[in-house]
Amino acid sequence: MKFKDVYSGERVTRKFSNRKVSEKMLARVINKAQQSPSLLNSQPWRVYMVTGDALSNLRKDFEQNIKDGIKPHEDFATILSLNWDAYPSQSLATMGASQPYFFNNKSELFTNANDTMFNAQDVAFLTIPKASPAWSVFDLGIFAQSIMLLALDEGLSIMPAHSMVSYPELVRKYAQISEDELVGMAIGIGYKDNSAEVNDPKYYPPRLPFEKIYKLVK
Ligand SMILES: Cc1cc2nc3c(=O)[nH]c(=O)nc-3n(C[C@H](O)[C@H](O)[C@H](O)COP(=O)(O)O)c2cc1C
């Protein structure tokens, strides 16, 4: 695909079909993403691609935790404390937390998608060592974006979600991640369920006006 088509087509998918991605294709995407830049070429990331029975078992326990009302406690937990600066808070209030689902009284679409791990059949869990500088979080973000663009280039769909790392102890158990790694992010990779309402483009959220984020200083 042309880069501009891949890039402009980058939207998240909140419901996948049951079709699995081939193991070869998954490995190819991650392998290519290793080209990503990182501080001093430190490459702090590791990828645990969870699929099949391991993912089914993880999803079962994840859904049970939600039923039991267990509060999310991501390793990057402060994101949910909503201790944000006023600048991103305004985006959250006007377009982030209030996704178009909410404007359309369809919050259950968003919630159900998250609570079922988007029916993802293949999930890449991304870690960095617990002993990491903030730069490694930055590096992990770059790496994640590479994975997503490369997956889109293969004709796949993507779903980056902190909700899938809400219970890091479950991810550690089923993905076989050691205690000294931080479970940073999860990216569902797969085929979009085109019949799912939650994936309707009318729910795509807009971006801030360019003038709000850009300043040319001479
Ligand atoms: C770090 C990160 C975490 C996210 N976590 C979630 C999540 O837990 N649940 C969810 O539904 N969407 C999640 N998203 C998707 C964003 O809500 C989405 O990218 C944003 O609303 C813009 O929509 P678009 O990518 O379709 O344009 C996450 C995105 C990122 C980059």
Side-chain angles (χ1 to χ4, degrees):
M1 276 167 85
K2 286 204 170 123
F3 178 75
K4 68 177 170 53
D5 295 331
V6 172
Y7 186 74
S8 62
E10 189 183 35
R11 290 288 188 167
V12 304
T13 284
R14 291 199 170 87
K15 179 145 191 234
F16 292 96
S17 76
N18 291 331
R19 183 178 165 197
K20 286 174 53 54
V21 182
S22 83
E23 290 177 18
K24 237 182 175 169
M25 193 183 276
L26 290 169
R28 185 163 64 235
V29 165
I30 304 302
N31 190 198
K32 284 189 184 167
Q34 289 185 268
Q35 176 77 21
S36 302
S38 59
L39 178 76
L40 289 168
N41 201 23
S42 50
Q43 306 170 66
W45 46 71
R46 283 194 185 92
V47 181
Y48 296 82
M49 190 68 73
V50 182
T51 180
D53 287 348
L55 185 58
S56 303
N57 292 333
L58 169 57
R59 195 189 327 266
K60 223 189 288 157
D61 284 6
F62 173 86
E63 291 179 355
Q64 190 58 49
N65 273 10
I66 290 170
K67 273 194 202 117
D68 294 345
I70 297 176
K71 286 219 170 84
H73 45 266
E74 299 99 325
D75 284 349
F76 287 168
T78 46
I79 192 172
L80 283 186
S81 73
L82 293 185
N83 250 340
W84 298 61
D85 182 85
Y87 176 53
S89 292
Q90 279 166 8
S91 295
L92 272 179
T94 56
M95 41 189 29
S98 25
Q99 294 270 343
Y101 302 111
F102 299 99
F103 293 127
N104 288 276
N105 287 327
K106 290 281 188 175
S107 60
E108 82 284 356
L109 289 178
F110 182 88
T111 309
N112 292 343
N114 276 271
D115 289 357
T116 53
M117 294 177 73
F118 314 97
N119 193 45
Q121 303 302 307
D122 302 281
V123 181
F125 290 96
L126 312 184
T127 75
I128 54 175
K130 274 190 179 156
S132 286
W135 295 116
S136 294
V137 177
F138 189 90
D139 292 340
L140 193 67
I142 294 175
F143 183 58
Q145 172 71 321
S146 297
I147 292 173
M148 293 191 285
L149 292 176
L150 287 160
L152 293 167
D153 190 44
E154 296 273 2
L156 300 168
S157 295
I158 45 104
M159 185 62 232
H162 71 80
S163 63
M164 290 196 282
V165 293
S166 290
Y167 307 115
E169 68 285 357
L170 296 183
V171 178
R172 273 199 187 81
K173 175 176 169 188
Y174 290 108
Q176 302 174 20
I177 297 172
S178 76
E179 278 301 324
D180 55 7
E181 284 173 70
L182 220 148
V183 181
M185 257 304 277
I187 305 175
I189 301 175
Y191 297 93
K192 186 185 286 189
D193 178 347
N194 286 311
S195 65
E197 187 186 357
V198 74
N199 290 334
D200 191 317
K202 76 170 180 252
Y203 298 122
Y204 288 166
R207 297 301 190 259
L208 289 169
F210 179 64
E211 316 76 69
K212 276 202 100 173
I213 66 125
Y214 183 75
K215 191 170 181 177
L216 177 65
V217 182
K218 295 192 199 179

